[in-house]
C-alpha cells in the first residue's frame, strides 16, 4: 500500500506496529500455557506483590492499558481458576485480585519465559543498545501527549 512508505518513516507508527508484532509473538510463545501476554504479566505482577494481591487499578496503571482490558483479563484468569477476586478491605466499592494455588504454581514457568526473553534481548542487542532503545522509547512517550497543531 502507498501508506507503507509513510508508516515506515514514522517513529510513532513504527512503535505501534512493532509493539503489535511483539505482542503477537509473545502471546504465541505463551499459547502452550493457555495464556496471552497480558494474562501472563498479570499473574507475574501478582506473584511479586505482598500477599500475592493487587487492585485492578494498580495493574491498569502499571501496564498502561484501559480499565476495560484489565477487567477482561481478570475475567479470563478467573475462568481459568488462576486468580480470584474479593472485596477490598479498605474500599467497599472496590475489589482485589489474588493468585489461586493453581495460578501460583504456574508463575515460575511464566517468569522463566520472561527472564529468558530478557536475557536473549540483552545478548542479541547488547545491554548498552537496549538501554539506549529504552531511553528513546521514553522520549517518544514524553513527546506524544503534546498536541499537534494543524
Amino acid at each position: 500500500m502507498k501508506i507503507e512508505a509513510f508508516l515506515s518513516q514514522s517513529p510513532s507508527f513504527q512503535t505501534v506496529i512493532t509493539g503489535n508484532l511483539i505482542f503477537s509473538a509473545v502471546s504465541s510463545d505463551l499459547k502452550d500455557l493457555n495464556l496471552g501476554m497480558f494474562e501472563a504479566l498479570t499473574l507475574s505482577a501478582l506473584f511479586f506483590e505482598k500477599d500475592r494481591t493487587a487492585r485492578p487499578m494498580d495493574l491498569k496503571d502499571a501496564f498502561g492499558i484501559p480499565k476495560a482490558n484489565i477487567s477482561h483479563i481478570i475475567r479470563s484468569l478467573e475462568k481459568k481458576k488462576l486468580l480470584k477476586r474479593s472485596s477490598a478491605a479498605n474500599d467497599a466499592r472496590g475489589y482485589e485480585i489474588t493468585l489461586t494455588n493453581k495460578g501460583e504454581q504456574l508463575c515460575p514457568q511464566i517468569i522463566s519465559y520472561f527472564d529468558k526473553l530478557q536475557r536473549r534481548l540483552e545478548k542479541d542487542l547488547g545491554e548498552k543498545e537496549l538501554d539506549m532503545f529504552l531511553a528513546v522509547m521514553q522520549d517518544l512517550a514524553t513527546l506524544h501527549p503534546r498536541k499537534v497543531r494543524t
Side-chain angles (χ1 to χ4, degrees):
M1 295 184 76
K2 290 181 182 179
I3 196 166
E4 288 175 337
F6 167 72
L7 295 176
S8 70
Q9 296 298 310
S10 169
S12 302
F13 295 114
Q14 277 303 301
T15 300
V16 172
I17 291 166
T18 302
N20 288 337
L21 291 171
I22 293 168
F23 180 87
S24 293
V26 171
S27 291
S28 179
D29 286 350
L30 293 167
K31 206 175 243 181
D32 290 345
L33 299 177
N34 192 29
L35 295 171
M37 185 176 87
F38 280 112
E39 288 177 322
L41 284 172
T42 298
L43 294 174
S44 297
L46 289 171
F47 187 79
F48 290 109
E49 288 299 313
K50 183 181 175 194
D51 300 326
R52 311 279 201 246
T53 299
R55 295 177 54 114
M57 292 303 286
D58 297 332
L59 295 170
K60 175 193 138 338
D61 293 342
F63 299 157
I65 61 175
K67 185 179 174 186
N69 292 30
I70 292 293
S71 296
H72 175 74
I73 292 163
I74 290 170
R75 276 192 305 278
S76 176
L77 291 171
E78 276 183 309
K79 233 176 171 177
K80 295 173 186 179
K81 304 205 181 311
L82 298 172
L83 61 78
K84 61 184 175 187
R85 85 175 76 194
S86 57
S87 297
N90 58 352
D91 182 1
R93 298 173 298 160
Y95 66 94
E96 297 173 331
I97 53 174
T98 308
L99 284 175
T100 62
N101 286 336
K102 183 179 175 183
E104 200 162 328
Q105 290 171 3
L106 187 58
C107 282
Q109 289 175 270
I110 297 165
I111 294 163
S112 175
Y113 168 77
F114 285 133
D115 188 48
K116 287 175 188 171
L117 177 61
Q118 181 69 20
R119 283 198 314 262
R120 194 192 83 214
L121 290 173
E122 288 170 354
K123 179 180 175 258
D124 291 352
L125 292 175
E127 283 189 59
K128 183 178 177 185
E129 288 81 2
L130 190 55
D131 287 344
M132 288 184 337
F133 168 76
L134 294 172
V136 169
M137 294 299 291
Q138 286 296 319
D139 289 345
L140 275 173
T142 302
L143 293 172
H144 264 281
R146 297 182 189 164
K147 295 215 183 282
V148 177
R149 303 203 190 272
T150 54

